[in-house]
Amino acid sequence: MSDDAIPRLLVPAYFHPEADPASWAVLRAAAPRLTAVVINPASGPGPAPDPAYATVRAGLSATRVLGYVDTDYGRRPHAEVVAEIARHREWYAVDGVFLDQTPDGSAALAHYARLTVAARSLGAAYVALNPGLPPDPAYLDVADLVVTFEGPWSAYAARPADAGTHLVHAAPPHAAVHGYATPGTLPNPWAVLGPLDAVADAPDRTAG
């Protein structure tokens, strides 16, 4: 199986370690099979370090840990986004960054290219972008990973294949996705950890 055919197990772990320690234990056990785990203490790094996240981050050394940053589809100023990346690095020693709410059009490409350069200059070696749908192809060259689908299983099952990573919620048991699936539902489906053993055997849904 080529690298492109390996399901990219990017797990948005949007549940607090003290509220759901069992799910964090599952993540620790599965860490060698994961591409990355996204931590999101408070819709970003939050106003101050959270010791609980520092503890669980230390237990995930077998995979990448990415810090969540909302970019508001390019509307947040460069300096604000970079400051949150820096706090994630300082407080939680993350390996990279997950830039959420990324636009899909080429007009914002230069902004995200600059953010990626800034993130890497801060030591964030792995950058993921989340437009949630297939973006301008140039974004695939800017980041290490691009989420090209985020949505419910009902909209996913019959969609065309593409070369990105997919985040699927409201998914049935053993749903086969090229990425990560959870049974969780809106408003915060990523507060429910999906069955990591099921996605590990998902077929390739990439284009080409």
Side-chain angles (χ1 to χ4, degrees):
M1 180 179 287
S2 69
D3 288 344
D4 285 342
I6 298 172
R8 299 189 174 193
L9 304 183
L10 172 74
V11 181
Y14 299 171
F15 36 86
H16 195 275
E18 293 177 347
D20 191 355
S23 289
W24 285 96
V26 172
L27 284 172
R28 285 194 300 273
R33 297 190 287 108
L34 305 179
T35 296
V37 173
V38 184
I39 61 169
N40 187 9
S43 295
D50 185 331
Y53 277 97
T55 298
V56 293
R57 189 275 169 268
L60 291 171
S61 59
T63 189
R64 300 179 186 90
V65 176
L66 310 183
Y68 175 95
V69 179
D70 180 2
T71 69
D72 194 21
Y73 299 102
R75 290 185 287 262
R76 291 191 72 194
H78 176 89
E80 283 187 12
V81 175
V82 172
E84 291 201 357
I85 296 170
R87 289 201 291 273
H88 271 299
R89 285 282 299 155
E90 179 183 357
W91 296 345
Y92 307 115
V94 296
D95 304 295
V97 62
F98 180 79
L99 300 180
D100 196 21
Q101 299 203 94
T102 304
D104 61 315
S106 61
L109 183 62
H111 175 62
Y112 285 88
R114 288 180 61 226
L115 288 175
T116 298
V117 170
R120 297 194 196 284
S121 73
L122 291 169
Y126 197 89
V127 176
L129 303 178
N130 183 21
L133 72 169
D136 184 288
Y139 282 95
L140 300 175
D141 296 323
V142 167
D144 299 287
L145 181 150
V146 177
V147 176
T148 57
F149 178 87
E150 180 178 356
W153 173 257
S154 60
Y156 180 77
R159 71 186 296 276
D162 65 60
T165 294
H166 309 147
L167 300 178
V168 183
H169 58 77
H174 311 297
V177 308
H178 191 78
Y180 172 71
T182 174
T185 57
L186 294 173
N188 183 15
W190 317 117
V192 178
L193 185 65
L196 302 179
D197 56 336
V199 292
D201 297 323
D204 178 25
R205 286 178 58 92
T206 56

